[in-house]
Amino acid sequence: MEEYLKTLLEQIRCKKARNVVEEEIRGHLEEQIEEYQMAGMDPKEAEKAAVLDMGDPVQTGISLDGIHRPRISWKLVILIGVISLLSILIQTVIGISHDPAGGLDSGLHHGMYVLVGFAFMIFVYRLDYSFLGRNVVWVALGFFLVLLILRNLAIPVNGSYGWTFIGGVRISLRALLYLWPPLYGALLYKYYGRGYKGIVKSFLWILFPACYAWGLPDIALAFLIFFISMILLSMAVFQGWFQVKRGRTLAVVWSVVIFLPALELIWGVAFHGFAEYQIARLETYLRGENKAVSMLAGSRWLGKGMEPDLAKSIEYNSDYILSYLSSYYGILAAFLMAALVLGLILAGIKTAGKGKNRLGRMIGFASGLSLLLPAGINILVNLGLFPEVNTFLPFLSKGNSYLLVSYVLLGLILSVYRYKNILSEKACRRIRPAVK
């Protein structure tokens, strides 16, 4: 049997796939050997008969090589390419319309970062995401350390520490926090089967990124990171990762989702834990006075409508890019771009869902969720259905850090799909050498 496996595995070109193939074929052989032994054969005859049943090892290996090889979702890549080109075109047109002299340079600058983001995506796509499953604690601690260092280097602007400069490049600390959800998904996988202790440890990991966002300060981002993390924790509980009573545990989890933010708001307002301007802003939110004017106001279905208001004009190429498109090109143009972005994100989540192991599916879903919720909030802000908060529309909004992070998240999704027929559950926890 060992000689048969050795010959078969020599036909598998992807070295990472050999462990999966060996595990699969060895399992079949052992089952067949056991059946022959139960039928009365001696062990050696049973092994020989089972090997013969598997067929020629070279031909079998060639067939398995066609199955267990890296994959790429070309449909998703093409959709990414289309949206990327539209992003460059839209930012160039917006730049020229507001600054005929320097608008083209603005579009080229955005295009350069789109290309860099695309390169990041390809690089991450080729990485073995199972590394996170085996080393996620160290990766998470390293991520936190980088955030703390960047926070100390940040230059305060109106009391906010959301930006830092390294080598002349501006880095958004807010954007980097959107890389947390896939890391958290891998942490949940680490605590697979750990019961209630695993749930408690998983919850404690959420506190650092949420408190970090709160201290920037960005209360909306802190709530968003907390909410995304709790969705992922709930998903893991629902799928039975922790082997606990799901109904009772989910009830406790979502009680925490409601109780902790409410407690924080009470502390901030009633006991003056927030700054005066933060309390005033919250009161404005609660009264519904801080909602943006809908992009539908004054817009036509096709063609130019009314000029956008001053607030939108200031951020015409970032937060309010949909309002700009609606004002200058019609509601249908804005809806089309919003639908393309949402379609890309949902297609990415669906693609990641084809992964064959739990770690891959969780990382893919977390990456998609880290794009989907900000996109949904951005659309609601532009429709005037949500208070004005710091937001972005993935792939379209101006903002180099957000743009690069969006492509990294897509790279993780593509990586999950790339290794869907290569990485097994065991490979995500430890490396088991194939037969040599």
Side-chain angles (χ1 to χ4, degrees):
M1 182 173 69
E2 301 302 327
E3 186 64 30
Y4 179 88
L5 286 170
K6 178 182 177 182
T7 303
L8 185 149
L9 292 173
E10 287 174 349
Q11 316 309 313
I12 309 297
R13 289 171 290 180
C14 179
K15 294 181 179 180
K16 292 182 181 295
R18 291 176 183 174
N19 293 301
V20 177
V21 174
E22 187 230 341
E23 181 182 332
E24 179 183 336
I25 300 302
R26 185 183 291 277
H28 287 317
L29 286 170
E30 289 175 349
E31 289 178 3
Q32 192 61 46
I33 290 170
E34 185 178 353
E35 289 183 9
Y36 280 135
Q37 286 180 329
M38 291 176 63
M41 286 188 179
D42 64 58
K44 288 187 177 181
E45 288 181 353
E47 181 177 332
K48 184 177 180 180
V51 168
L52 288 174
D53 287 346
M54 292 297 296
D56 180 70
V58 174
Q59 292 301 319
T60 303
I62 292 173
S63 299
L64 290 171
D65 178 63
I67 298 172
H68 297 279
R69 60 186 178 85
R71 303 280 181 176
I72 185 167
S73 176
W74 286 110
K75 291 181 179 179
L76 189 61
V77 171
I78 291 172
L79 183 56
I80 295 168
V82 169
I83 292 178
S84 298
L85 291 175
L86 286 173
S87 173
I88 296 172
L89 177 62
I90 290 171
Q91 289 292 344
T92 302
V93 169
I94 292 176
I96 292 175
S97 65
H98 283 75
D99 182 9
L104 182 59
D105 290 338
S106 176
L108 292 174
H109 182 265
H110 179 77
M112 180 188 72
Y113 273 92
V114 168
L115 293 176
V116 172
F118 216 90
F120 276 23
M121 181 187 75
I122 298 300
F123 174 76
V124 174
Y125 153 75
R126 296 187 63 85
L127 292 178
D128 176 3
Y129 68 84
S130 67
F131 174 82
L132 289 177
R134 299 186 299 272
N135 305 279
V136 65
V137 171
W138 294 109
V139 174
L141 291 175
F143 178 68
F144 292 163
L145 179 61
V146 169
L147 287 179
L148 288 173
I149 292 173
L150 293 178
R151 172 65 172 76
N152 288 330
L153 296 175
I155 300 173
V157 178
N158 296 326
S160 174
Y161 290 82
W163 300 91
T164 188
F165 290 84
I166 296 180
V169 177
R170 189 170 72 163
I171 300 174
S172 169
L173 304 186
R174 293 183 176 90
L176 293 179
L177 280 172
Y178 286 99
L179 295 175
W180 164 251
L183 280 180
Y184 186 63
L187 281 166
L188 291 172
Y189 186 76
K190 173 180 173 56
Y191 296 119
Y192 188 94
R194 302 287 183 88
Y196 291 108
K197 288 184 178 179
I199 293 177
V200 172
K201 290 179 180 179
S202 298
F203 175 77
L204 292 176
W205 278 101
I206 304 174
L207 300 181
F208 177 85
C211 293
Y212 184 89
W214 194 283
L216 289 178
D218 194 324
I219 297 175
L221 180 58
F223 280 129
L224 183 61
I225 292 297
F226 179 77
F227 186 67
I228 291 176
S229 300
M230 295 302 282
I231 289 176
L232 297 176
L233 177 57
S234 301
M235 180 178 172
V237 171
F238 181 77
Q239 293 181 348
W241 281 26
F242 298 101
Q243 300 174 6
V244 296
K245 293 183 178 180
R246 291 181 291 184
R248 182 186 304 173
T249 305
L250 286 173
V252 172
V253 167
W254 283 95
S255 296
V256 170
V257 171
I258 297 171
F259 175 74
L260 281 185
L263 184 64
E264 190 70 27
L265 288 174
I266 293 172
W267 172 80
V269 176
F271 297 95
H272 304 286
F274 296 159
E276 291 298 327
Y277 77 91
Q278 291 176 321
I279 295 176
R281 186 176 296 173
L282 282 172
E283 291 175 349
T284 303
Y285 285 161
L286 293 175
R287 290 196 299 267
E289 298 174 1
N290 200 46
K291 292 181 180 179
V293 177
S294 172
M295 68 181 186
L296 305 180
S299 297
R300 300 177 179 178
W301 283 104
L302 288 173
K304 186 174 181 179
M306 293 176 61
E307 293 282 343
D309 62 35
L310 179 61
K312 292 180 181 178
S313 296
I314 294 173
E315 298 176 323
Y316 59 86
N317 58 0
S318 55
D319 294 48
Y320 295 105
I321 190 167
L322 289 178
S323 294
Y324 175 88
L325 291 173
S326 178
S327 297
Y328 285 91
Y329 300 101
I331 297 171
L332 289 179
F335 278 6
L336 174 62
M337 292 311 304
L340 280 174
V341 172
L342 291 178
L344 169 60
I345 297 170
L346 293 174
I349 294 174
K350 182 179 179 181
T351 297
K354 297 177 181 178
K356 298 296 177 64
N357 65 71
R358 297 177 181 89
L359 174 65
R361 291 196 297 270
M362 178 60 80
I363 288 177
F365 179 76
S367 300
L369 198 62
S370 200
L371 292 170
L372 183 62
L373 289 189
I377 292 173
N378 179 270
I379 292 170
L380 291 176
V381 168
N382 277 264
L383 287 171
L385 301 175
F386 198 86
E388 295 181 39
V389 294
N390 289 318
T391 182
F392 71 102
L393 187 63
F395 313 107
L396 291 187
S397 291
K398 187 80 170 180
N400 302 331
S401 298
Y402 288 108
L403 194 63
L404 296 181
V405 166
S406 298
Y407 280 105
V408 168
L409 292 171
L410 275 184
L412 284 171
I413 290 173
L414 289 171
S415 178
V416 171
Y417 187 81
R418 171 182 170 84
Y419 292 106
K420 71 185 186 76
N421 293 324
I422 295 175
L423 296 176
S424 65
E425 293 285 347
K426 289 184 177 180
C428 294
R429 295 183 180 273
R430 67 180 185 275
I431 295 297
R432 179 168 171 253
V435 173
K436 296 181 180 180

